[in-house]
RNA sequence: GGUCCCGUAGUUCAAUGGAUAGAAUAGAAGUUUCCUAAACUUUAGAUGCAGGUUCGAUUCCUGCCGGGACUACCA
């Protein structure tokens, strides 16, 4: 299929060569779709080239336009407005465009040199169920995977599960002490929520203990000796909580004891840990299935947390790292605009960074992926800057291919989600809610198919989140997220469904549309269809599925308008009918394909 | 102290340095003998402030104001 943007650039470069006898790179020309209020389909902007040619932009536009219109059969006319050269494309171009799309069903996919790419996303802790923040993460990760795959790459999806540490030990301890051995099945609670509930229970018990302790003479003595006497009692105890947990709390001592036993491979502790994590994984799996996502490989921190030491020692030998007198190992990242960063504690144990260094290497060894993308919230921007700088320092061959897909946190209309205040929106509850809302809306329309209702509800939720530029912090309004009108998933689904409905009713089809002359609405649609590969390519380059989401909406909107403008089955001629059937079929395919890149399914009717 | 991100209609989001800053929603007014009205049409409404670079700035640079995140042998 003709890449029209490129063709125009090439023609323009050729025109410069012929008219001004100068060689320019075609890529230098800016070509954009012409604004609606002007005559033309594409616009060549000549301001940038004016300097090299030493001519006023309008003059250049006229000269280039004159040449291009003569040299290219597919240009039917040109019009110059200031420095803008508006190009109209010939009917031959428009009719061949649809033919080309029909002939190559993969026309919507960008063609790029194949790469092996790894995408890490989700990566939850095992002490709590997934929440709204994870949903944004998962949708971004999944969509990035789909988009890169559409670009022709070989993409692997992985996550690293934080299955160890003090948090899960808290759940384990609370369950042991207070549950009487009840299982999720017996309790009738989804198993990851069940484990999360025991985590909450631990925190509750700990608070009771902490509050009681605050009344003791020991607490009072500590409070009196506080360094800053301005601080009042409640603020002090808030800041002292961690220290109390580590030094004085009996529950804290028990939880840490459990962690020590875990680290010592105590069989009973390991068995309990496996049992409870098993519950969590079963719950997660259900949530992933409902979200429609899956992974190629799961990593567990319990298996990776010791990695990286070898690389650190290696770096130490090569003098890229340095050791302090106390034995701790550091890296100086000031040349990268960062600070000094610790890699091994003075007792020789790893930190988070050490593990990430090791994990990156392990994945490279395993998958041979020269590009690795980490979908992680923007609170860890600094961490990843440091990690990538370190990988560059140790000379990892894939260091340039590391990318942090950093996304903004999800807020609620009332403000930040806070687990302590119980305002965290649970992923399972949320999915249930949107599907219920879809069911209510479907009732009026007498839609009873549960599968259709599920697809509609999920599309509302997913589209609401994925349409926002990942980098930006977003506000999640639960009421707006179940909207099905306007810029929403169901609106796009509806455009698709309308198309399918027409196609179903068209008994014949595939007939000739030879000689049919497209109208302006059809040109607009064809133009949009012709841009799809660029949009996806750009979304891949920018790591922004939102670009695909906005495109899909734009196309659906244009189609809805078209739907009101013209008749397909009762078109004015047989050619018109055949043409429109062929056109809307391609539109339907593109809508379905782009929504699939976002992880959104299309119903055939709704 | 250091590093980074974000400020666009009432609200939620768009806009590779390009033409008169686009949508959606909420508000107002309309459209159904017609392929699905979850639709369409019309209407009103915005670039935090002050400079600079440029033919041209929401976009790039500087300062300020406002919001957020990170960084101090935590993950």
């Amino acid at each position: 299929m003709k890449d029209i943007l490129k063709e125009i650039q090439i023609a323009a470069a050729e025109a410069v060569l012929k008219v001004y006898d100068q060689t320019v790179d075609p890529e230098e020309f800016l070509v954009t779709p012409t604004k609606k209020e002007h005559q033309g389909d594409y616009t060549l902007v000549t301001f940038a080239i004016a300097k090299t040619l030493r001519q006023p932009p309008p003059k250049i536009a006229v000269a280039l336009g004159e040449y291009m219109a003569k040299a290219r059969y597919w240009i039917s006319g040109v019009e110059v407005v200031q420095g803008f050269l508006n190009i109209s494309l010939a009917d031959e171009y428009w009719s061949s465009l649809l033919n080309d799309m029909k002939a190559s069903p993969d026309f919507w996919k960008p063609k790029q040199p194949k790469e092996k790419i790894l995408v890490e996303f989700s990566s939850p802790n095992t002490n709590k169920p997934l929440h709204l923040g994870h949903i944004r993460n998962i949708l971004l990760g999944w969509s990035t995977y789909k988009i890169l795959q559409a670009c022709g790459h070989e993409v692997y999806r992985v996550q690293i599960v934080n299955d160890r540490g003090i948090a899960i030990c808290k759940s384990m301890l609370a369950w042991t002490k207070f549950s009487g051995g009840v299982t999720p099945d017996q309790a009738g609670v989804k198993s990851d929520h069940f484990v999360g509930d025991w985590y909450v229970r631990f925190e509750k018990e700990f608070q009771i203990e902490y509050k009681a302790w605050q009344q003791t003479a020991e607490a009072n003595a500590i409070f009196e000796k506080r360094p800053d006497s301005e601080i009042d009692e409640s603020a002090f105890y808030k800041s002292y909580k961690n220290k109390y947990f580590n030094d004085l709390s009996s529950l804290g001592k028990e939880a840490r004891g459990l962690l020590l036993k875990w680290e010592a491979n105590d069989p009973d502790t390991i068995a309990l840990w496996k049992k409870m994590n098993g519950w969590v994984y079963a719950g997660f799996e259900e949530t992933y299935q409902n979200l429609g996502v899956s992974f190629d490989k799961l990593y567990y921190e319990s298996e990776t947390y010791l990695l990286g030491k070898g690389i650190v020692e290696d770096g130490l030998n090569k003098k890229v790292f340095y050791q302090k007198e106390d034995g701790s190992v550091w890296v100086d990242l000031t040349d990268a605009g960062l600070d000094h960063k610790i890699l091994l504690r003075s007792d020789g144990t790893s930190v988070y960074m050490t593990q990430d260094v090791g994990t990156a290497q392990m994945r490279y060894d395993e998958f041979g992926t020269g590009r690795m993308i980490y979908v992680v919230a923007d609170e860890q921007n600094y961490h990843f800057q440091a990690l990538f700088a370190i990988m560059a320092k140790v000379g990892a061959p894939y260091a340039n291919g590391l990318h942090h897909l950093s996304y903004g946190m999800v807020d609620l209309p009332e403000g930040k989600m806070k687990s302590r205040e119980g305002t965290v929106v649970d992923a399972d509850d949320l999915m249930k809610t949107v599907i219920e809302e879809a069911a209510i809306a479907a009732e009026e329309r007498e839609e009873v198919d549960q599968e259709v209702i599920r697809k509609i509800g999920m599309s509302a939720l997913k589209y609401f989140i994925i349409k926002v530029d990942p980098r930006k912090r977003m506000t999640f309004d639960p009421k707006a997220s179940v909207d099905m009108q306007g810029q929403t998933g169901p609106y796009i689904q509806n455009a698709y469904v309308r198309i399918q409905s027409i196609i179903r009713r068209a008994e014949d089809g595939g007939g000739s549309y030879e000689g049919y002359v497209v109208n302006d609405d059809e040109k607009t649609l064809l133009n949009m269809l012709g841009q799809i590969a660029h949009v996806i390519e750009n979304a891949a380059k920018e790591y922004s599925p939102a670009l695909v989401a906005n495109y899909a909406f734009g196309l659906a909107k244009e189609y809805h308008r078209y739907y009101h403008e013209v008749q397909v089955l009762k078109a004015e001629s047989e050619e018109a009918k055949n043409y429109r059937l062929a056109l809307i079929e391609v539109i339907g395919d593109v809508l379905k394909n782009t929504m699939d890149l976002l992880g959104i399914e299309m119903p055939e009717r709704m």
Side-chain angles (χ1 to χ4, degrees), chain A residues 485-519:
Chain A
Q485 270 136 40
Q487 189 177 3
T488 66
Y491 173 98
I492 301 168
Q493 289 178 323
N494 185 236
Y496 175 79
V497 162
R498 282 179 147 179
I499 290 171
Q500 300 320 305
S501 173
I502 294 173
I503 290 173
R504 271 196 303 272
R505 280 161 196 269
E507 285 124 22
D508 44 352
S512 164
Y513 46 82
E514 199 57 41
Y516 175 72
V517 178
V518 298
N519 64 33

Side-chain angles (χ1 to χ4, degrees), chain A residues 305-588:
Chain A
Y305 79 111
L306 296 175
L307 289 172
K309 285 189 180 183
I311 296 175
V312 172
E313 272 157 34
D314 207 40
L316 206 49
N317 289 335
K318 288 189 197 150
K319 306 245 195 271
V320 269
F321 305 144
Y322 66 93
Q323 198 156 24
K324 287 191 178 173
E325 302 82 42
D326 62 5
S328 57
V329 178
W330 294 72
V331 58
D332 178 0
L333 298 173
T334 47
D335 53 353
L338 303 170
D339 219 327
H340 293 248
K341 196 87 197 165
I342 190 159
L343 289 169
L344 286 179
R345 294 194 186 94
S346 47
D347 62 3
T349 54
S350 311
V351 293
Y352 183 51
M353 186 64 80
T354 327
Q355 170 186 319
D356 269 6
V357 167
T359 307
Q361 183 62 41
M362 180 175 68
R363 286 172 179 173
Y364 178 72
D365 294 340
E366 238 177 283
F367 290 98
T369 44
R371 235 164 117 192
M372 299 193 221
I373 298 159
Y374 298 81
V375 183
V376 180
D378 62 8
E379 59 190 348
Q380 293 196 37
N381 283 355
Y382 192 90
H383 172 77
F384 282 102
Q385 277 181 42
L387 174 65
F388 299 165
I390 290 168
M391 297 321 287
K393 273 198 190 298
V394 299
Y398 50 87
N400 278 334
L402 296 169
H403 185 264
H404 175 204
L405 201 171
S406 161
Y407 63 90
M409 300 290 222
V410 183
D411 291 326
L412 299 175
E414 308 79 45
K416 294 177 68 166
M417 284 197 282
K418 290 189 180 137
S419 55
R420 212 169 299 149
E421 290 165 26
T423 55
V424 174
V425 178
D426 178 75
D428 296 314
D429 291 348
L430 186 54
M431 287 191 278
K432 198 166 155 251
T433 306
V434 293
I435 293 169
E436 279 166 5
E437 287 293 327
I440 292 167
E443 212 172 316
E444 296 164 22
R445 309 166 67 88
E446 290 170 19
E447 175 61 64
V448 291
D449 188 328
Q450 291 305 309
E451 186 56 14
V452 169
I453 289 169
R454 185 188 65 79
K455 284 178 180 172
I456 295 170
M458 287 303 292
S459 89
L461 173 61
K462 287 182 172 183
Y463 191 87
F464 186 81
I465 293 171
I466 204 80
K467 73 172 185 197
V468 182
D469 182 342
R471 287 184 295 265
K472 290 193 176 165
R473 211 180 166 96
M474 68 171 286
T475 304
F476 183 87
D477 181 349
K479 282 203 280 291
S481 73
V482 297
D483 268 355
M484 299 178 195
Q485 270 136 40
Q487 189 177 3
T488 66
Y491 173 98
I492 301 168
Q493 289 178 323
N494 185 236
Y496 175 79
V497 162
R498 282 179 147 179
I499 290 171
Q500 300 320 305
S501 173
I502 294 173
I503 290 173
R504 271 196 303 272
R505 280 161 196 269
E507 285 124 22
D508 44 352
S512 164
Y513 46 82
E514 199 57 41
Y516 175 72
V517 178
V518 298
N519 64 33
D520 283 349
D521 291 321
E522 283 150 2
K523 279 184 190 176
T524 306
L525 284 162
L526 284 165
N527 245 331
M528 293 189 84
L529 292 173
Q531 290 314 305
I532 177 62
H534 285 294
V535 171
I536 295 172
E537 194 174 358
N538 209 244
K541 201 176 83 194
E542 302 289 329
Y543 298 99
S544 178
L547 297 174
V548 175
N550 285 322
Y551 171 88
F553 171 70
L555 182 59
K557 184 174 163 56
E558 205 51 45
Y559 174 73
H560 275 307
R561 216 170 68 79
Y562 180 65
Y563 178 88
H564 283 269
E565 283 306 314
V566 307
Q567 298 265 297
V568 175
L569 297 178
K570 291 177 190 160
E572 60 273 19
S573 70
E574 196 63 16
E575 290 75 34
K577 178 178 138 186
N578 289 336
Y579 185 87
R580 288 170 189 167
L581 275 171
L583 175 65
I584 67 171
E585 198 184 342
V586 175
I587 295 169

Side-chain angles (χ1 to χ4, degrees), chain A residues 50-68:
Chain A
K51 246 184 204 140
T52 23
L53 297 181
R54 308 172 62 121
Q55 295 274 332
K59 207 170 166 190
I60 298 171
V62 169
L64 298 189
E66 218 166 86
Y67 175 86
M68 287 164 72

Side-chain angles (χ1 to χ4, degrees), chain A residues 121-122 130 134-142 288 291 293:
Chain A
F121 61 101
S122 189
L130 303 173
H134 290 112
I135 293 188
R136 189 175 197 195
N137 180 306
I138 291 165
L139 294 180
L140 282 169
W142 180 260
Y288 288 142
L291 277 169
V293 302

